[in-house]
Amino acid sequence: DSGVTQTPKHLITATGQRVTLRCSPRSGDLSVYWYQQSLDQGLQFLIQYYNGEERAKGNILERFSAQQFPDLHSELNLSSLELGDSALYFCASSVLPGDTEAFFGQGTRLTVV
Amino acid sequence: GESVGLHLPTLSVQEGDNSIINCAYSNSASDYFIWYKQESGKGPQFIIDIRSNMDKRQGQRVTVLLNKTVKHLSLQIAATQPGDSAVYFCAENMKLTGGGNKLTFGTGTQLKVEL
């Protein structure tokens, strides 16, 4: 157990809908990352937060947004969902930004039908 | 552009043998290179990292070698065990302006340990 909790574990939704994925980082970790894992694109970095502020942005679509709350949990919002958004979404946390050792949650499997 | 690629998609080894997983990278600006392991149904798990100014680092049963001349990274696992069966990813860490960082992952190598 990495100490990172992601909910829900599975999510099935229709195209055009909006979903929210939730992540609770490991106790003491201030930095949260979101990654998307799909069969054709592999593990892709989406976005990073540190202590409530956005620190780095990767290949995140404009339809996607995220935030980190004062209690350090984070949410990833995916809207206007398309079939191609079906993937595993991982949250990871580390003590500080720049740490190479990040602790990953078990992921949320999103299926868009 | 940025890319991290793995040479072999699947590697099968006998239990007790040593495993070598290879990775090619293209971005010389990365400050660290890291190996992650992902077991079925789980998230990636950190194994070991190596700073870009080093060429070798050893951990418990694992050794990472970095050859910056040919932009090659390898993970050696000694006395491979059934529990080592997983997908192994190499990743590059890059520090970004604003104080953040991002990991760029390779495509992964499936390691299968045969009894």
Side-chain angles (χ1 to χ4, degrees):
Chain A
D1 183 5
S2 67
V4 177
T5 303
Q6 288 187 249
T7 56
K9 284 190 170 48
H10 301 276
L11 196 50
I12 301 175
T13 190
T15 54
Q17 295 298 304
R18 173 189 168 95
V19 297
T20 297
L21 312 184
R22 184 188 166 97
C23 169
S24 293
R26 213 172 55 122
S27 178
D29 286 356
L30 301 177
S31 190
V32 169
Y33 310 76
W34 286 97
Y35 287 85
Q36 179 194 58
Q37 187 174 37
S38 60
L39 288 176
D40 57 343
Q41 294 289 323
L43 264 165
Q44 297 283 321
F45 168 73
L46 296 179
I47 199 163
Q48 177 194 24
Y49 282 84
Y50 171 64
N51 212 16
E53 294 185 359
E54 182 184 308
R55 277 296 181 100
K57 225 169 186 177
N59 303 324
I60 187 165
L61 300 172
E62 285 192 10
R63 300 184 285 108
F64 297 179
S65 64
Q67 58 185 126
Q68 186 181 27
F69 295 86
D71 66 353
L72 301 177
H73 91 271
S74 178
E75 292 181 356
L76 178 66
N77 301 297
L78 314 176
S79 62
S80 302
L81 285 167
E82 302 174 0
L83 296 178
D85 297 326
S86 296
L88 263 172
Y89 290 84
F90 285 105
C91 170
S93 70
S94 64
V95 177
L96 297 172
D99 287 353
T100 56
E101 184 171 7
F103 295 84
F104 282 74
Q106 297 216 349
T108 293
R109 181 171 292 283
L110 173 67
T111 303
V112 182
V113 297
Chain B
E2 299 171 345
S3 69
V4 180
L6 296 181
H7 295 307
L8 297 173
T10 302
L11 176 65
S12 294
V13 298
Q14 294 290 320
E15 182 181 5
D17 287 351
N18 297 335
S19 303
I20 299 176
I21 302 171
N22 297 302
C23 173
Y25 65 91
S26 62
N27 194 336
S28 300
S30 301
D31 63 345
Y32 275 92
F33 297 88
I34 310 111
W35 283 98
Y36 275 83
K37 169 187 179 183
Q38 186 175 22
E39 295 174 272
S40 181
K42 296 185 178 181
Q45 179 184 4
F46 175 91
I47 301 173
I48 191 169
D49 64 7
I50 185 168
R51 198 180 175 112
S52 60
N53 62 357
M54 298 172 64
D55 52 22
K56 181 178 180 178
R57 188 169 186 216
Q58 289 185 292
Q60 188 177 16
R61 279 201 309 119
V62 295
T63 300
V64 57
L65 299 177
L66 176 62
N67 185 331
K68 292 181 287 294
T69 302
V70 295
K71 295 184 180 178
H72 184 268
L73 186 70
S74 69
L75 177 70
Q76 300 177 3
I77 305 173
T80 311
Q81 303 168 359
D84 295 326
S85 293
V87 176
Y88 288 79
F89 294 95
C90 63
E92 299 178 65
N93 183 69
M94 279 196 62
K95 287 189 176 176
L96 305 173
T97 55
N101 69 301
K102 76 171 199 177
L103 294 176
T104 301
F105 284 84
T107 52
T109 293
Q110 174 77 55
L111 176 65
K112 293 184 178 180
V113 181
E114 298 170 349
L115 302 177

